[in-house]
Amino acid sequence: EIVMTQSPATLSVSPGERATLSCRASQSVSSNLAWYQQKPGQAPRLLIYGASTRATSIPARFSGSGSGTEFTLTISSLQSEDFAVYYCQQYNNWPPWTFGQGTKVEIK
Amino acid sequence: QVQLVESGGGVVQPGRSLRLSCAASGFIFTSYAMHWVRQAPGKGLEWVAVISYDGSNEYYADSVKGRFTISRDDSKNTLYLQMNSLRAEDTAVYSCASGSSPRGGYFNFWGQGTLVTVSS
């Protein structure tokens, strides 16, 4: 099973600032990496797939990069609606599909 | 637009059974794999099970293997999760999600989830 590790657990950022979230896989997942956003009481929403492709309707301030075992989600200028928990997920070696433990982006 | 609506959750005693449903609309249900994912209170996401587009393949997390069964009824555009021998650690919000490909992929769309509480 591939273990996904996200850092940091919590990220405190001021609105308008840049946020950088990291995700590491225990072995290579190529570019088969997705990012999801989850707000309290809501279902997760797909942000990024293929490590760097934005899903439909996702704003350009969200970008993904990386391949192999190291990945990054960058939010270029945080808006109030971006404060949420973000999960990475690998879909290269399955089953199982595995998620990171999440990074909470909170208002500084 | 795509809609996934789960139902069937509730409070159940340890050892008992429950069946969850997920009604899908807004996409070609028969072309994609479908997943169940759960989230224990205050915890992260855990993949539970997947069924391929044609129902020919099913896979389960080790934590539920032998106790849970995933199935689909393409005539009703509905996904199911039969949960037997429930344990306290199965307490979670259970969500269905559509796969991006016929056999798996990433998770395109998610339902809001239904809460399952296993307690005596």
Side-chain angles (χ1 to χ4, degrees):
Chain A
E1 171 177 328
I2 296 179
V3 177
M4 307 301 293
T5 303
Q6 292 185 240
S7 61
T10 303
L11 188 60
S12 299
V13 186
S14 299
E17 288 188 340
R18 181 187 195 92
T20 303
L21 289 66
S22 296
C23 175
R24 173 177 291 178
S26 60
Q27 63 188 78
S28 177
V29 298
S30 186
S31 293
N32 295 313
L33 189 285
W35 289 94
Y36 302 89
Q37 177 194 66
Q38 187 178 32
K39 298 179 182 179
Q42 295 188 18
R45 176 175 71 147
L46 175 68
L47 295 177
I48 301 283
Y49 62 92
S52 61
T53 302
R54 278 190 304 276
T56 303
S57 303
I58 300 303
R61 65 181 180 273
F62 290 92
S63 63
S65 63
S67 67
T69 62
E70 300 283 343
F71 300 89
T72 301
L73 175 69
T74 302
I75 312 171
S76 59
S77 176
L78 270 157
Q79 307 298 302
S80 57
E81 62 266 30
D82 300 335
F83 292 97
V85 179
Y86 293 83
Y87 295 94
C88 63
Q89 177 213 32
Q90 68 83 21
Y91 55 98
N92 190 64
N93 285 37
W94 50 264
W97 283 256
T98 49
F99 294 91
Q101 78 278 22
T103 291
K104 181 179 181 181
V105 177
E106 64 176 25
I107 300 174
K108 186 174 183 180
Chain B
Q1 75 280 20
V2 173
Q3 278 199 308
L4 296 169
V5 180
E6 301 90 342
S7 60
V11 180
V12 60
Q13 293 179 328
R16 303 298 291 267
S17 299
L18 207 59
R19 188 177 85 153
L20 306 183
S21 300
C22 166
S25 61
F27 67 105
I28 304 173
F29 184 73
T30 53
S31 293
Y32 297 97
M34 292 295 297
H35 299 261
W36 285 101
V37 179
R38 68 184 180 183
Q39 188 168 31
K43 302 297 184 182
L45 301 170
E46 179 189 14
W47 171 78
V48 172
V50 64
I51 187 166
S52 60
Y53 74 107
D54 59 357
S56 62
N57 294 103
E58 305 163 22
Y59 297 100
Y60 299 90
D62 287 345
S63 57
V64 307
K65 201 173 294 181
R67 299 187 299 122
F68 290 11
T69 302
I70 190 171
S71 61
R72 61 191 299 159
D73 184 338
D74 291 344
S75 69
K76 297 180 179 179
N77 278 11
T78 300
L79 176 73
Y80 301 100
L81 186 68
Q82 178 66 44
M83 304 186 295
N84 298 333
S85 303
L86 282 161
R87 306 167 180 168
E89 54 265 35
D90 296 319
T91 294
V93 172
Y94 286 73
S95 299
C96 59
S98 58
S100 63
S101 72
R103 298 193 181 280
Y106 52 88
F107 300 175
N108 260 329
F109 300 99
W110 299 63
Q112 283 285 99
T114 186
L115 176 62
V116 173
T117 303
V118 184
S119 173
S120 54

